[in-house]
Amino acid sequence: MWSGADDRYDVPSPEPQTLMRHLIVPTLAMAALAACQTAPKPQSGFLSAYDGLTEQTGTIRASVRERRDDGAAAGIERLFIEPAVLHPGAAEGLDPADVALVLSEVDRQICFELSERFTVLGAADPAAARVRTAVTGVRATGQAGSAASAVAGYFIPGPIGLRAPGTTGGLAVESELVGPDGRQAAALVWARDANVVGTDSPSLSRVGDALQLAEPMGDAVGDAFAPKDRKPRRIAEPDPCRRFGARMQPVGFLAGMATGLYVPELSGTGVPKDADGAIGEELKGRTTMSTFPDGSVVYMAYGADGQFTGRMGDATWSGRYTVADGKLCLRTASESECWPYAERLVPGQEQVVTGPEGQRVVVKLLD
């Protein structure tokens, strides 16, 4: 209670939540003006063709341009999802580890959606279609603004959140379905920025918004590539998308409910982890099979003594390897290279890794 000189004017003190709501709610109305559709992004040149792309007018928050040759798409049943690549200059100022997370999540969400409409292969096949994808833009999430938004969310409970203007991130992607004949069967140019007012959760990760936006992007890829009369199907066993991470991660949802923040590490982002042993121990005495974007396959046999032997077709080479500081380094008598290696490979599962030149490679640790 607040008490003045005259008890007749005693009025109850406003609760902190009520006071905060009165201060913030007017801001919501002003910020709602910023919750408009994302402006289209320029064409990157990644797609094999841009002819026939049509702007979709029914979208509310995303910019979507797409085309599909229904006859060609209807004739495609099997496809291989090539690892997504980063278009030059698309993620300036972001750490390579954050970029790798975004690329992995883009692959994951595209695989989830396409596996409900097509048969997804674990390796390239000349007789199958290919999905080519490039991340053409990543706008960083403001960490300080996200923390403030989470605090505001405590005082204004409900599904609609408030983000600080100028601190939201974004994602832009171009993807195409290429038939076995090399012709484009479908294409999508997609972009979306997180909204100041809406259901996009704040995050302390600089790519938190981009990671969350990968899910609606994957939905758009599935809708753009599959013929309209193709019904969703049951997920195959074993799950062809397992190499990209789990489909469901309830702990991430619960963490978001408790903190008001999106936490990538608890949301299934990244490749599956095998918690037993130190990173690199799983390589000893085993062989990896690596499939590169051009379809070439390299086998690497790792010994327990730090020696390795590589083979691609009839060519062989050998040297020494080390795993330290999040890198797998390979050295021969004449050259050396290091690959990012922050996650353990899981025996028997295909996983997508980023090579030293930024290429995305499908790696399987053979049993």
Side-chain angles (χ1 to χ4, degrees):
M1 296 287 289
W2 174 86
S3 180
D6 192 328
D7 289 342
R8 291 175 300 172
Y9 298 100
D10 284 0
V11 295
S13 301
E15 295 294 330
Q17 291 88 344
T18 303
L19 178 61
M20 195 72 174
R21 186 177 294 110
H22 283 307
L23 292 173
I24 293 179
V25 168
T27 307
L28 281 169
M30 297 176 61
L33 297 175
C36 57
Q37 186 178 30
T38 302
K41 299 295 189 291
Q43 297 172 359
S44 73
F46 171 80
L47 298 182
S48 59
Y50 291 86
D51 298 339
L53 287 172
T54 301
E55 186 78 27
Q56 300 302 302
T57 59
T59 59
I60 299 176
R61 291 170 291 183
S63 168
V64 181
R65 287 172 285 169
E66 63 181 46
R67 70 165 292 270
R68 180 177 60 246
D69 182 330
D70 285 322
I76 293 175
E77 167 57 32
R78 301 163 65 245
L79 57 80
F80 171 68
I81 301 174
E82 295 183 359
V85 298
L86 182 71
H87 188 70
E92 293 182 355
L94 291 174
D95 293 335
D98 285 335
V99 172
L101 272 180
V102 173
L103 292 172
S104 178
E105 187 66 3
V106 166
D107 287 337
R108 177 176 176 245
Q109 295 299 335
I110 288 177
C111 187
F112 289 171
E113 292 303 318
L114 293 183
S115 65
E116 296 181 0
R117 298 167 170 89
F118 300 88
T119 298
V120 175
L121 305 180
D125 184 341
R130 298 177 296 131
V131 174
R132 301 177 62 248
T133 304
V135 172
T136 58
V138 180
R139 194 172 76 184
T141 300
Q143 295 168 306
S146 289
S149 297
V151 173
Y154 170 78
F155 292 102
I156 309 177
I160 304 300
L162 170 65
R163 305 282 298 276
T167 66
T168 55
L171 176 68
V173 168
E174 294 184 7
S175 187
E176 66 180 355
L177 176 64
V178 180
D181 60 358
R183 297 181 180 179
Q184 186 188 81
L188 173 75
V189 176
W190 185 95
R192 188 186 148 191
D193 297 327
N195 292 136
V196 173
V197 179
T199 57
D200 301 322
S201 299
S203 176
L204 298 183
S205 167
R206 296 196 69 209
V207 291
D209 284 317
L211 294 174
Q212 293 178 84
L213 294 174
E215 182 175 357
M217 178 279 307
D219 293 340
V221 169
D223 292 340
F225 290 5
K228 290 189 178 297
D229 60 354
R230 184 169 295 186
K231 297 180 180 180
R233 61 185 66 177
R234 295 176 63 89
I235 305 303
E237 290 291 344
D239 188 345
C241 303
R242 175 58 186 166
R243 68 182 184 271
F244 299 118
R247 289 181 183 262
M248 298 294 293
Q249 198 68 276
V251 67
F253 173 77
L254 295 176
M257 292 289 290
T259 65
L261 294 167
Y262 169 78
V263 184
E265 295 81 2
L266 301 179
S267 302
T269 302
V271 298
K273 297 182 179 180
D274 181 358
D276 298 329
I279 292 178
E281 290 296 313
E282 74 279 8
L283 294 175
K284 295 181 178 179
R286 286 197 173 102
T287 299
T288 58
M289 180 181 73
S290 302
T291 304
F292 287 74
D294 63 359
S296 59
V297 179
V298 173
Y299 293 89
M300 299 284 289
Y302 297 90
D305 58 355
Q307 301 280 344
F308 76 85
T309 300
R311 175 173 60 86
M312 184 174 70
D314 296 331
T316 61
W317 61 96
S318 60
R320 296 192 63 82
Y321 74 94
T322 57
V323 180
D325 299 325
K327 297 180 180 179
L328 167 63
C329 293
L330 309 170
R331 296 178 175 84
T332 66
S334 59
E335 55 187 328
S336 65
E337 67 177 16
C338 292
W339 291 59
Y341 201 83
E343 303 277 358
R344 299 188 74 227
L345 293 177
V346 179
Q349 292 185 5
E350 291 181 336
Q351 299 174 28
V352 178
V353 301
T354 303
E357 298 179 359
Q359 72 272 42
R360 305 275 286 163
V361 182
V362 179
V363 178
K364 182 176 182 180
L365 183 60
L366 304 179
D367 290 327

